[in-house]
Amino acid sequence: QVQLGESGGGLVQGGGSLRLSCAASGRTLSGYAMAWFRRAPGKERSFVAAINWNGGITYYADSVKGRFTISRDNAKNTVYLQMNSLKPEDTAVYYCAARAAGPQRLANFYSYWGQGTQVTVSS
């Protein structure tokens, strides 16, 4: 089995930064695409960013382009989401996900999910 665990969430003022981490256990994910999704209160889960197995391909939601950066360190079996210039509308539970294929923007393509970490951005 593969287990994913997110960390790094918290409360931050608008304009601030956070770095989320997602560490995998159970097996190496060096050949997997990884992604971040989020669910804001009262809304559906939405795509944030994705990265292919070697980091050569990245996708971003329009709402986070230029502010968020997804990266990975396969030696540490970890994916990161650097979030800068945070806005109140970024408030959500953030989830990492993995799949043994190329990156996708749709959640149903991903087989493995973390439990989520709360990000709250104040005005």
Side-chain angles (χ1 to χ4, degrees), residues 1-6 22-27 29 77 96 112-114:
Q1 62 178 358
V2 175
Q3 293 182 322
L4 304 175
E6 303 95 335
C22 176
S25 62
R27 64 177 295 173
L29 297 180
N77 222 22
C96 65
Y112 307 104
W113 292 84

Side-chain angles (χ1 to χ4, degrees), residues 9-26:
L11 175 64
V12 64
Q13 292 184 343
S17 298
L18 287 172
R19 189 178 78 157
L20 306 184
S21 299
C22 176
S25 62

Side-chain angles (χ1 to χ4, degrees), residues 7-9 17-21 69 71 76 80-83 86:
S7 62
S17 298
L18 287 172
R19 189 178 78 157
L20 306 184
S21 299
T69 302
S71 62
K76 297 180 179 179
Y80 305 96
L81 185 68
Q82 178 67 47
M83 305 186 295
L86 283 162

Side-chain angles (χ1 to χ4, degrees), residues 19 21-24 28-30 34 51-55 70-81:
R19 189 178 78 157
S21 299
C22 176
T28 179
L29 297 180
S30 61
M34 304 291 294
I51 188 167
N52 80 325
W53 71 276
N54 67 359
I70 187 170
S71 62
R72 67 192 299 164
D73 185 340
N74 287 339
K76 297 180 179 179
N77 222 22
T78 300
V79 63
Y80 305 96
L81 185 68

Side-chain angles (χ1 to χ4, degrees), residues 3-123:
Q3 293 182 322
L4 304 175
E6 303 95 335
S7 62
L11 175 64
V12 64
Q13 292 184 343
S17 298
L18 287 172
R19 189 178 78 157
L20 306 184
S21 299
C22 176
S25 62
R27 64 177 295 173
T28 179
L29 297 180
S30 61
Y32 285 60
M34 304 291 294
W36 290 93
F37 292 81
R38 64 187 181 186
R39 181 181 286 113
K43 295 186 177 181
E44 297 293 322
R45 179 175 53 189
S46 62
F47 172 76
V48 177
I51 188 167
N52 80 325
W53 71 276
N54 67 359
I57 301 172
T58 56
Y59 299 146
Y60 294 95
D62 289 342
S63 59
V64 307
K65 286 181 180 178
R67 299 190 298 122
F68 291 10
T69 302
I70 187 170
S71 62
R72 67 192 299 164
D73 185 340
N74 287 339
K76 297 180 179 179
N77 222 22
T78 300
V79 63
Y80 305 96
L81 185 68
Q82 178 67 47
M83 305 186 295
N84 298 326
S85 301
L86 283 162
K87 305 174 181 179
E89 51 263 44
D90 295 318
T91 295
V93 177
Y94 284 71
Y95 301 89
C96 65
R99 69 186 299 258
Q104 296 283 350
R105 288 181 165 89
L106 298 179
N108 59 289
F109 282 95
Y110 292 87
S111 299
Y112 307 104
W113 292 84
Q115 297 299 306
T117 185
Q118 177 70 50
V119 172
T120 302
V121 184
S122 63
S123 300

